[in-house]
Amino acid sequence: MIILQILPFILEITNKIFGEKTAKFLLNFFSNKEKFFFTEDIYDFQEKKSMTRLVLLLPGKGCEWARKTGGCTMCALSKRSQEIGKNFSSKNLIALYKIAVNFTRKEKPTSLAIYNGGSFLNNNEIPLSAQLEIFRLVKESQSIRKIFIESRAEFIDSHKIKLLKKELGNKGLIVGIGLEAQNDKIRNEFIKKGLGRKKYEETIKLLKENGIITLSYVFLKPIYLTEKESIEEAIKTIKYAFLSGTDEIAIEVAFIQEGTLMEKLFKEKKYKLPWLWSAIEVIKKTYQLGPLHIGGFNDSPPPIAISSNCKICSLRIKEALQQYSQNNDIGLLQKLDCNCRRMWKEEVGVNL
Ligand code: SF4
Ligand SMILES: [Zn+2]
C-alpha cells in the first residue's frame, strides 16, 4: 500500500487548499470508512483532571499469543487484527499515526493511546522501526505529552525500555499489562493468560525502576465464576496489583465477542455477563486504593452482548460509569439505585 505512505502528505495539501471537509471525505474514501482514530476525554490521574487523548487503533499483525495458543478465552481482538494487519508495513503504520495526528491537531490532545490488538512491544506484531519512529514523533509533538501502549510482559525487558526511552526523550510513557486475575487457576486455566505472578511482579518493578507508569488490566467476570466470585476476585486482584506496585488499574467489564470460548459458553447458557452493579461494587470497594479506570462497553470487533442491568436503568448506569471514567468522582456512583439492585443483591448475597 504505497499510497498510504504518501497519504498524510496528500491529505495535508487537500486540507490546506480545499479545507478539512474535503480532506475528511478523501480519508473516508481511502480508509473505507474504517475508524482508526478518535479523541476522547478521560480522567488523567497524573494531571488530576479530565484531559483529551488521541486514541489510535493501529493494525498490527495481531496478538502472537493468540496465534500460537488460541488466545485468552474472552478475546477476539487478535483475529480482527490478523485479518486487517497483514497488509500494513512499518511505513504504513507510521503514516496512520501522522494522519491521526494531523486530523486531531485542533483538539490538542495531551496524550496518545495506541491499541493494536496485542502487544505494541512485540516486534513480530508492530515492527521495531515503527515503534521507534512513532516514539520519536511523539517526542517532537507539541501537544502530546505522553504515550500509552499495551504489551504482554514477555516483550518488556531493559534493553527494549532503553531503546524506546531514548526515542521518547522526556515525554511520559504508560504501559498497560493484562493481569486480569490474581488467582493462578483463574488467570491461567480459565482465562488462559499465560502469565506467572513472578513475571508480572518483576515486569512492574522493572518498568517503575525506569520511570515508566504502569497500568494493570483486571477482568470482571472470567468464565466459570459466579457473580459473587467474580466480584471478590476482581477486588483481590486490584489489591494485589497495587501491592505489586502498579500505578493504575483498568477494570474491564466482560462483553461477548464472536469466536471466543466465552461466546460458546454464553450461547450454551453456561456463562452470564456481569451486572453493572457488580462493576460499581468493585469500584466502591477499591477506589481508595489508587487510580481506577473503567471500560469494556464496546470494542473492535463489536461485541454481540455487553454487561447490563435492567432495561430501565442500564443506560443511566452506563452513563454514570462513563462520567466516572472522565472525572473520577466517586459521588456519581454512590447514590445510584433501581429496583433491579435488589435482584442483584439476592444473587450475590449481602456478605460481600
Ligand atoms: S487479551 Fe491480550 S494477550 Fe489475550 S489474546 Fe487478547 S490481545 Fe492476546
Ligand atoms: Zn435497573
Side-chain angles (χ1 to χ4, degrees):
M1 279 192 282
I2 297 289
I3 183 72
L4 192 50
Q5 288 162 39
I6 53 168
L7 194 56
F9 176 71
I10 296 172
L11 292 170
E12 184 114 29
I13 296 288
T14 310
N15 194 3
K16 270 188 193 145
I17 301 174
F18 301 104
E20 197 177 312
K21 216 171 153 193
T22 314
K24 270 194 181 148
F25 176 81
L26 207 59
L27 176 62
N28 277 336
F29 174 76
F30 280 110
S31 66
N32 214 2
K33 295 197 174 161
E34 190 81 38
K35 190 172 151 191
F36 67 92
F37 67 88
F38 58 91
T39 57
E40 65 178 6
D41 291 338
I42 186 165
Y43 191 80
D44 185 314
F45 285 96
Q46 286 86 51
E47 305 289 333
K48 299 199 173 9
K49 60 180 177 184
S50 180
M51 309 284 278
T52 302
R53 73 170 180 172
L54 166 61
V55 177
L56 176 61
L57 309 172
L58 216 50
K61 297 274 179 286
C63 174
E64 197 171 15
W65 170 252
R67 259 184 283 144
K68 285 186 174 161
T69 70
C72 304
T73 51
M74 71 296 195
C75 176
L77 262 181
S78 138
K79 258 187 212 138
R80 168 88 169 152
S81 316
Q82 280 170 39
E83 282 160 22
I84 302 176
K86 55 180 183 269
N87 300 322
F88 287 80
S89 67
S90 175
K91 285 184 175 155
N92 292 157
L93 298 176
I94 295 161
L96 292 179
Y97 166 85
K98 288 181 180 168
I99 293 167
V101 165
N102 286 343
F103 269 94
T104 53
R105 203 171 272 155
K106 278 190 200 148
E107 289 146 82
K108 295 192 174 59
T110 54
S111 66
L112 165 72
I114 296 182
Y115 297 100
N116 62 287
S119 297
F120 183 84
L121 299 182
N122 179 1
N123 301 351
N124 293 334
E125 296 178 41
I126 300 288
L128 181 62
S129 52
Q131 296 173 32
L132 297 177
E133 180 63 4
I134 289 174
F135 271 52
R136 196 188 63 75
L137 291 168
V138 168
K139 179 168 79 180
E140 286 177 358
S141 165
Q142 296 201 339
S143 78
I144 297 172
R145 304 209 286 262
K146 58 188 161 190
I147 175 169
F148 168 81
I149 51 158
E150 299 177 316
S151 181
R152 287 179 60 86
E154 63 259 35
F155 304 115
I156 302 168
D157 58 37
S158 46
H159 173 68
K160 178 53 99 41
I161 290 173
K162 283 193 178 84
L163 266 183
L164 293 169
K165 286 206 74 172
K166 198 166 151 245
E167 297 301 325
L168 200 56
N170 58 8
K171 297 283 172 102
L173 173 59
I174 307 172
V175 176
I177 297 178
L179 166 64
E180 322 297 1
Q182 54 88 40
N183 179 287
D184 290 338
K185 187 171 179 177
I186 297 173
R187 189 178 60 260
N188 286 334
E189 290 181 33
F190 296 178
I191 300 179
K192 296 207 184 334
K193 194 77 208 175
L195 171 68
R197 274 166 78 122
K198 191 162 173 272
K199 180 70 183 166
Y200 168 75
E201 290 162 18
E202 284 170 0
T203 307
I204 294 287
K205 191 164 169 266
L206 178 69
L207 289 166
K208 285 181 67 94
E209 280 168 0
N210 285 279
I212 295 166
I213 297 169
T214 52
L215 176 145
S216 300
Y217 287 104
V218 174
F219 191 69
L220 177 70
K221 175 175 186 235
I223 55 175
Y224 308 133
L225 296 194
T226 65
E227 192 81 18
K228 183 177 184 210
E229 287 167 344
S230 74
I231 296 170
E232 288 170 343
E233 178 60 15
I235 293 171
K236 279 189 204 160
T237 307
I238 291 169
K239 287 181 182 165
Y240 163 71
F242 278 130
L243 275 175
S244 304
T246 198
D247 296 291
E248 299 182 10
I249 294 284
I251 303 168
E252 309 152 278
V253 184
F255 51 69
I256 308 290
Q257 284 183 313
E258 275 176 324
T260 60
L261 177 58
M262 185 174 270
E263 184 216 8
K264 186 172 174 288
L265 296 173
F266 177 74
K267 288 195 165 156
E268 291 169 357
K269 305 216 179 313
K270 292 178 186 154
Y271 176 81
K272 193 175 79 53
L273 281 165
W275 290 81
L276 295 173
W277 295 124
S278 298
I280 289 173
E281 186 68 20
V282 173
I283 297 174
K284 280 185 187 169
K285 291 267 162 68
T286 53
Y287 77 95
Q288 304 98 328
L289 302 176
L292 287 185
H293 301 270
I294 175 100
F297 304 112
N298 52 48
D299 214 315
S300 176
I304 56 165
I306 57 173
S307 170
S308 62
N309 285 345
C310 76
K311 280 185 184 153
I312 298 168
C313 73
S314 283
L315 195 61
R316 175 168 57 92
I317 305 292
K318 246 175 249 161
E319 276 170 9
L321 285 166
Q322 181 79 22
Q323 276 179 21
Y324 174 77
S325 72
Q326 276 172 23
N327 56 27
N328 192 40
D329 177 5
I330 191 69
L332 289 165
L333 306 183
Q334 299 284 25
K335 288 186 193 131
L336 294 172
D337 206 355
C338 177
N339 284 340
C340 72
R341 196 158 192 278
R342 245 183 299 142
M343 286 163 65
W344 167 77
K345 267 194 166 175
E346 273 165 29
E347 187 176 336
V348 296
V350 280
N351 297 323
L352 269 170

